[in-house]
Amino acid sequence: MRERILAEARRLTLQSGAVPSLNAVAAAAEVSKGGLMHHFTSRSALVSGLARQALDEVDAAMADAVARGNAAETWLRLSAADADERGLLRALAGGFRPEAGEASALLADARDALARWERAIASEVGDPVRARVIRLVGDALVANAIAGVEAADGIDDLVRHLVPEPGATR
């Protein structure tokens, strides 16, 4: 039920550009409001649930990338949000309340994930400073997507410039 609620909340968010009301999510997920509130006690909890889901998706993609040996490139490409992702990021940023109880654990997990991903990139590129630059460029791409100031065009050029070819020295 929780996954169905999140799927409908995500769909409605993409459709409208804003995190929907709990009533709208309950109706779309075909659950009672009490059933929804069993999983998400407030709109802030729903926003945190959507953000947690996104964090878990990126974490899984980065784990796969580490296994393939292309964590740096994957990080940059994941950070270059498409139109739907940009809309979801903006809606989540607009609805996120860091002071909400669910948010503190989510923020701690996000910090841990960023550190883990940066270590994976450093291991791959062989330079912790380059890894930090790659991670921060990805962060900037996401921030630009949220702010709506710049589309992530030219991602191939960024990857070519920032990510060394296997066995290459820079």
Side-chain angles (χ1 to χ4, degrees):
M1 170 126 20
R2 180 180 170 82
E3 293 307 313
R4 183 172 67 196
I5 291 168
L6 284 171
E8 287 303 318
R10 185 177 188 143
R11 183 184 65 76
L12 291 171
T13 300
L14 289 171
Q15 192 174 61
S16 70
V19 178
S21 70
L22 294 180
N23 288 334
V25 175
E30 298 178 340
V31 299
S32 68
K33 187 159 182 193
L36 181 140
M37 293 192 73
H38 173 74
H39 297 284
F40 303 100
T41 57
S42 66
R43 191 164 177 267
S44 289
L46 180 63
V47 170
S48 289
L50 288 167
R52 166 77 59 194
Q53 184 180 54
L55 178 63
D56 291 346
E57 289 170 2
V58 173
D59 207 29
M62 287 300 292
D64 290 345
V66 169
R68 289 190 312 269
N70 69 341
E73 178 178 353
T74 297
W75 174 251
L76 291 169
R77 292 191 185 283
L78 286 172
S79 300
D82 66 20
D84 279 348
E85 292 164 335
R86 284 191 303 272
L88 181 63
L89 288 169
R90 279 188 208 110
L92 290 177
F96 191 72
R97 301 289 174 259
E99 68 280 356
E102 305 84 10
S104 62
L106 175 63
L107 290 171
D109 290 347
R111 282 189 293 276
D112 291 345
L114 286 169
R116 184 172 54 255
W117 302 335
E118 189 173 312
R119 284 191 306 272
I121 294 167
S123 177
E124 179 183 304
V125 301
D127 179 357
V129 174
R130 180 182 294 271
R132 167 72 39 110
V133 169
I134 290 168
R135 207 251 316 148
L136 291 172
V137 167
D139 290 354
L141 291 170
V142 171
N144 281 347
I146 291 169
V149 296
E150 180 180 358
D153 298 332
I155 192 68
D156 292 333
D157 292 336
L158 280 173
V159 169
R160 274 192 299 280
H161 183 75
L162 294 172
V163 181
E165 294 290 327
T169 58
R170 287 195 182 178

